[in-house]
Amino acid sequence: MTRTPPPAAAPLFAAVDIGGTKIAGALVDGGGRLRHRLQLPTPAQEPGPAVLAVVHRVLDRLADTADWAGVTAVGVGSAGPVDLADGTVSPVNIPGWRGFPLVAEVAAHPAVAARGLPVRLAGDGVAMAAAEHWQGAARGAANALCLVVSTGVGAGLVLDGAVRPGPSGNAGHLGHITVDLDGEPCPCGSRGCLEGLASGTAIARRALAGGWRPSGEDRSARAVAADAAAGDGIALAAFDRAAQALAAGIAATAALVDLQRVVVGGGVATAGDVLFTPLARHLDHYATLSYVRGLDVRRAELGTDAGLIGAAALCR
């Protein structure tokens, strides 16, 4: 009697999400569901080998699970800039990594090397775009811009139905387009960058400069958002300025590549209507050409898991 062999187990992807404050890891299945999620703090101001050691500890923990045997590839989303051709990263917020050979170092991890697993790299904005296009608010959109507005501003592009990272992996890096010709110098070397006006760091800085005084010790954009929601005029003005800068950048991108949808996520987006109401108002003033009017702007759906889901999406 011939027996039908059991179906092969569905593949799993190991995902690592590297940022300036945390390094997260998980195993992700073909439906975008996370298993064995963990997170460790990033020693961002320490030398590069210390940061790599945390990445390896995350991989150690994942490799110790029974599910590791089903992993078919490793996806890594990292703060950027990244260089896909060389497999290197140079995160602005991790000074110990400049031209750091992250792909080679992850591939050399014993559990990865033992099975010859391929390693895929993307910048964090591109990873977020891949995640939202696969499982989130950009599903079904052929042309979309996905933004991460947090301590910085990152983004990724979906064009003709696919995530397009560009040759270097940095396409869509909206945070470093100039929206203020006479603006402040940016750490990237340019001036008047969107990130310097719309990031959480910029919102808190503008509010404090305008005379906002937090009721407690929290001086972050989260506290500014809470006061803005309560009607504080200075806090509202700081968010309005950020929304105006975002609207200018979004409208310019829409005019350039003919977008259908814009997805906004990241910590600043959790402010909700405090951000999205002025963003819609300013888009009415900046997105005026017939083919960019009425952009479909949505809030990201995947929250803090977007980086991990996006890293896995790179492997599909």
Side-chain angles (χ1 to χ4, degrees):
M1 178 178 175
T2 303
R3 292 181 177 271
T4 302
L12 291 171
F13 310 110
V16 181
D17 179 20
I18 301 169
T21 59
K22 66 174 176 62
I23 296 174
L27 302 186
V28 185
D29 69 19
R33 292 174 290 270
L34 273 59
R35 306 181 190 177
H36 312 296
R37 191 188 193 286
L38 70 145
Q39 181 174 307
L40 298 174
T42 305
Q45 301 308 313
E46 295 186 23
V51 183
L52 178 64
V54 177
V55 175
H56 276 204
R57 283 203 294 276
V58 168
L59 288 169
D60 289 341
R61 299 263 291 273
L62 295 177
D64 282 342
T65 67
D67 287 329
W68 181 259
V71 171
T72 60
V74 181
V76 181
S78 174
V82 303
D83 186 328
L84 294 188
D86 291 339
T88 61
V89 299
S90 302
V92 174
N93 50 4
I94 304 178
W97 280 4
R98 289 294 175 268
F100 189 80
L102 184 58
V103 169
E105 293 289 359
V106 170
H109 181 277
V112 177
R115 299 186 49 216
L117 297 174
V119 179
R120 309 287 186 230
L121 172 67
D124 52 3
V126 171
M128 183 265 197
E132 293 289 340
H133 189 236
W134 179 27
Q135 295 289 335
R139 281 191 309 272
N143 298 286
L145 171 69
C146 298
L147 286 155
V148 183
V149 187
S150 185
T151 52
V153 177
L157 285 167
V158 176
L159 300 176
D160 297 326
V163 177
R164 306 292 183 183
S168 72
N170 297 290
H173 202 349
L174 201 68
H176 292 286
I177 67 168
T178 296
V179 293
D180 183 353
L181 297 182
D182 300 312
E184 295 294 322
C186 178
C188 78
S190 185
R191 65 187 310 127
C193 287
L194 175 61
E195 182 169 295
L197 292 166
S199 69
T201 307
I203 290 169
R205 183 173 62 243
R206 186 175 186 86
L208 287 164
W212 171 73
R213 294 297 176 263
S215 56
E217 295 184 1
D218 187 358
R219 300 162 70 87
S220 71
R222 184 183 301 106
V224 180
D227 282 359
D232 183 288
I234 297 172
L236 284 165
F239 266 89
D240 185 80
R241 178 61 167 168
Q244 183 181 11
L246 283 171
I250 290 168
T253 307
L256 187 67
V257 296
D258 202 359
L259 297 173
Q260 294 170 298
R261 190 175 301 171
V262 177
V263 175
V264 185
V268 171
T270 62
D273 290 344
V274 166
L275 175 69
F276 284 91
T277 297
L279 176 59
R281 185 176 70 251
H282 287 299
L283 275 172
D284 281 343
H285 294 289
Y286 287 102
T288 56
L289 292 170
S290 60
Y291 67 97
V292 299
R293 286 200 63 81
L295 281 170
D296 180 7
V297 179
R298 302 187 184 187
R299 304 181 194 193
E301 295 179 1
L302 301 177
T304 56
D305 289 334
L308 291 170
I309 296 170
L314 306 172
C315 303
R316 294 173 62 241

